Amino acid sequence: MFRAHMSVTRIWQLIEKRMMSCISVHGKLPGLQRAVGEVRRKSSFRQSPLLTATPVRALIDEQISIKGRFLSQNYPVTVCAQMHSEEGDLWEAFAHYTTNASSSINLTSDHSVGGSYVGCEPMGLFWALEPALGSREGLRLRKRNVETPYIVKISLLEGHTSPSEGQSNELAAVTTERWYMAPGVRRIEIRQNKIVGTLFLPPGPGPFPAMLDLWGMGGGLLEYRSALFASRGFASLSVAYMGHKDLPGPPHIMSVGDSYFKSACQLLQDHCQVDADRIGVIGLSFGVIPTLRIATRIGFKPSCLICINGPVGSPLLDEDGKNKMFESDQKHWEFDDRGYVSFRNVFLPDNLPPESKQKVKNITCPLMYILGEDDLCTASTENADLIEEALRSAGKSHLFTRLSYPGAGHLIEPPYTPYARVSLWRAKPEKLFTLWGGHPAPHAAAQEDAWKRILEFMETHLRR
């Protein structure tokens, strides 16, 4: 009996050897000789090229192994990834490789020599995705429905080519699924006590440590980071605080204040599957302001804070933390030669009204500040400096951790997802595009490292 992992070619070789031994014992047997000839003919067949992705279903923050086999030696090939966003836009990335002595490629160890990225980048086909040539300007990829995956087709093409060059000879292909929500995670819509949010619970009875998840001034209800937290064992409540139809007031004004965030924290504390003594808060961009207010003003004591590229205050906040229309004051807006706007100077500490700055010296829990050194939307380095100095002056230096990433921009999100250096900020009354900053490879490296450090920080301060 042949072992299951033997190749087809090896099996044919063993059959031929057995047949030849029969011929040598019994003399010339024409039928047997014809069979041997047939074996030789079949064993000379080359197997078709094969492209594999392992695993084909994975969480968005998991690496997958992509390999091409049964090619020729020193053979130029292109590996191409394509997927459609939920809005129907085509995103793609590609990379050029040359097969090795074993007639194969392995993206985990081999180097791309051209295309969307160069060098050894096992997940480059995912983080380098960008809108296809001719797409709408200013696209940014964000998952709205976390109960469905991104479907990514990966193709192995002959020669060094690009998708924009038209028809290429496809040698092999495989389809992968990229999920934010692991099997067993529960998604619960929240519309109570005026809170607009979504709660994600890991599989099992709990109680679980939890995070309150706050996004930026773009508004709406974004769930994908919370879904991923729950997939990693943390309950997470993502809340909308502006730009949502179920919230009061105009969409571009933050009409809720401190009492709203206090209610969100209370909702988590009261939930029977949440550990009320182990709740952290994470905020990105403008979401850093309510994150800091929660820790210093509303009487709630979080176990930890994670702040990503955000300011300590805003010139538009009132005493209760509500926000006027952002575009009512454009004094510190900066436009480049294409008309794209940077909000960086708006949030320089020197440009913030003193009364709007959060009293970070009153923070009593560990705080990790993550910044991209090429952030063009917020003066992140200067705000991190201010927080660090305030805690140092209060004798609390031990509470502060800074992660600083050269070449990374504003939108530091979960790993292996494409970044946007610029995207559409508003469509009316005229289109306005905002600059986020960052460069593809260093930003991707920042997202990968920052996510790992975020999970470690949460493990340390919410589980132990």
Side-chain angles (χ1 to χ4, degrees), residues 141-161:
L141 190 67
R142 289 187 289 182
K143 196 79 173 73
R144 300 292 183 180
N145 181 3
V146 297
E147 296 182 297
T148 62
Y150 282 129
I151 305 295
V152 185
K153 179 186 177 183
I154 305 174
S155 304
L156 184 63
L157 308 177
E158 188 174 30
H160 286 166
T161 183

Side-chain angles (χ1 to χ4, degrees), residues 99-243:
T99 59
N100 54 30
S102 62
S103 304
S104 64
I105 58 168
N106 183 345
L107 271 60
T108 302
S109 55
D110 294 344
H111 287 240
S112 166
V113 296
S116 302
Y117 61 90
V118 294
C120 183
E121 296 287 352
M123 295 296 288
L125 288 177
F126 297 94
W127 60 251
L129 286 165
E130 59 183 2
L133 197 65
S135 296
R136 296 177 294 145
E137 186 181 9
L139 294 177
R140 176 183 168 193
L141 190 67
R142 289 187 289 182
K143 196 79 173 73
R144 300 292 183 180
N145 181 3
V146 297
E147 296 182 297
T148 62
Y150 282 129
I151 305 295
V152 185
K153 179 186 177 183
I154 305 174
S155 304
L156 184 63
L157 308 177
E158 188 174 30
H160 286 166
T161 183
S162 71
S164 62
E165 292 177 11
Q167 193 67 31
S168 301
N169 183 23
E170 184 179 276
L171 303 173
V174 63
T175 299
T176 66
E177 295 181 3
R178 307 290 291 163
W179 290 84
Y180 281 97
M181 195 167 159
V185 169
R186 288 157 290 165
R187 176 185 176 275
I188 305 167
E189 289 190 12
I190 302 296
R191 299 292 188 276
Q192 62 187 71
N193 298 332
K194 300 182 180 180
I195 301 300
V196 177
T198 307
L199 175 65
F200 291 88
L201 295 171
F208 304 104
M211 293 294 291
L212 180 64
D213 188 5
L214 305 174
W215 288 82
M217 196 176 285
L221 180 57
L222 297 177
E223 301 179 354
Y224 53 90
R225 187 167 58 195
S226 280
L228 205 49
F229 281 150
S231 298
R232 295 304 178 196
F234 300 89
S236 188
L237 173 62
S238 180
V239 298
Y241 57 89
M242 62 188 301

Side-chain angles (χ1 to χ4, degrees), residues 42-55:
K42 289 184 177 180
S43 65
S44 67
F45 284 170
R46 256 186 71 203
Q47 186 163 338
S48 297
L50 178 66
L51 185 65
T52 59
T54 308

Side-chain angles (χ1 to χ4, degrees), residues 326 329-336 338-347 374-379 410 421-422 425 432-437:
F326 180 62
D329 182 0
Q330 302 182 14
K331 181 170 61 174
H332 297 297
W333 290 21
E334 275 195 57
F335 293 87
D336 68 7
R338 296 162 296 180
Y340 298 163
V341 64
S342 168
F343 301 131
R344 186 183 185 281
N345 290 342
V346 174
F347 298 108
D374 191 44
D375 183 356
L376 298 180
C377 186
T378 301
H410 184 71
R421 183 171 177 83
V422 59
W425 176 258
L432 181 67
F433 297 88
T434 186
L435 289 161
W436 305 112

Side-chain angles (χ1 to χ4, degrees), residues 173-422:
V174 63
T175 299
T176 66
E177 295 181 3
R178 307 290 291 163
W179 290 84
Y180 281 97
M181 195 167 159
V185 169
R186 288 157 290 165
R187 176 185 176 275
I188 305 167
E189 289 190 12
I190 302 296
R191 299 292 188 276
Q192 62 187 71
N193 298 332
K194 300 182 180 180
I195 301 300
V196 177
T198 307
L199 175 65
F200 291 88
L201 295 171
F208 304 104
M211 293 294 291
L212 180 64
D213 188 5
L214 305 174
W215 288 82
M217 196 176 285
L221 180 57
L222 297 177
E223 301 179 354
Y224 53 90
R225 187 167 58 195
S226 280
L228 205 49
F229 281 150
S231 298
R232 295 304 178 196
F234 300 89
S236 188
L237 173 62
S238 180
V239 298
Y241 57 89
M242 62 188 301
H244 193 283
K245 62 182 179 61
D246 294 336
L247 290 171
H252 299 299
I253 293 179
M254 182 174 158
S255 300
V256 299
D258 292 340
S259 61
Y260 180 85
F261 297 104
K262 185 172 184 177
S263 294
C265 294
Q266 193 65 52
L267 187 150
L268 274 176
Q269 284 184 308
D270 292 344
H271 198 282
C272 62
Q273 289 183 273
V274 169
D275 186 336
D277 296 321
R278 298 187 178 191
I279 299 174
V281 187
I282 182 170
L284 179 144
S285 189
F286 194 84
V288 167
I289 298 175
T291 296
L292 297 174
R293 291 180 74 90
I294 287 169
T296 59
R297 295 176 68 100
I298 69 172
F300 176 73
K301 298 298 181 185
S303 297
C304 64
L305 303 176
I306 300 171
C307 301
I308 306 172
N309 283 330
V312 298
S314 167
L316 305 175
L317 284 182
D318 65 17
E319 179 62 24
D320 187 42
K322 296 179 182 179
N323 191 43
K324 297 179 289 184
M325 184 173 288
F326 180 62
E327 297 178 16
S328 62
D329 182 0
Q330 302 182 14
K331 181 170 61 174
H332 297 297
W333 290 21
E334 275 195 57
F335 293 87
D336 68 7
D337 54 6
R338 296 162 296 180
Y340 298 163
V341 64
S342 168
F343 301 131
R344 186 183 185 281
N345 290 342
V346 174
F347 298 108
L348 279 168
D350 288 346
N351 292 336
L352 299 176
E355 65 274 12
S356 82
K357 296 178 184 178
Q358 307 311 305
K359 296 179 173 55
V360 294
K361 66 179 182 180
N362 295 335
I363 289 172
T364 59
C365 67
L367 183 157
M368 183 163 72
Y369 193 103
I370 299 169
L371 67 93
E373 294 180 15
D374 191 44
D375 183 356
L376 298 180
C377 186
T378 301
S380 300
T381 299
E382 292 83 353
N383 279 273
D385 290 344
L386 188 152
I387 294 171
E388 184 172 23
E389 175 57 26
L391 290 174
R392 187 197 64 78
S393 298
K396 300 177 180 180
S397 294
H398 61 286
L399 295 179
F400 186 76
T401 300
R402 180 197 301 238
L403 302 181
S404 184
Y405 295 103
H410 184 71
L411 300 171
I412 297 178
E413 301 197 65
Y416 316 133
T417 57
Y419 94 121
R421 183 171 177 83
V422 59

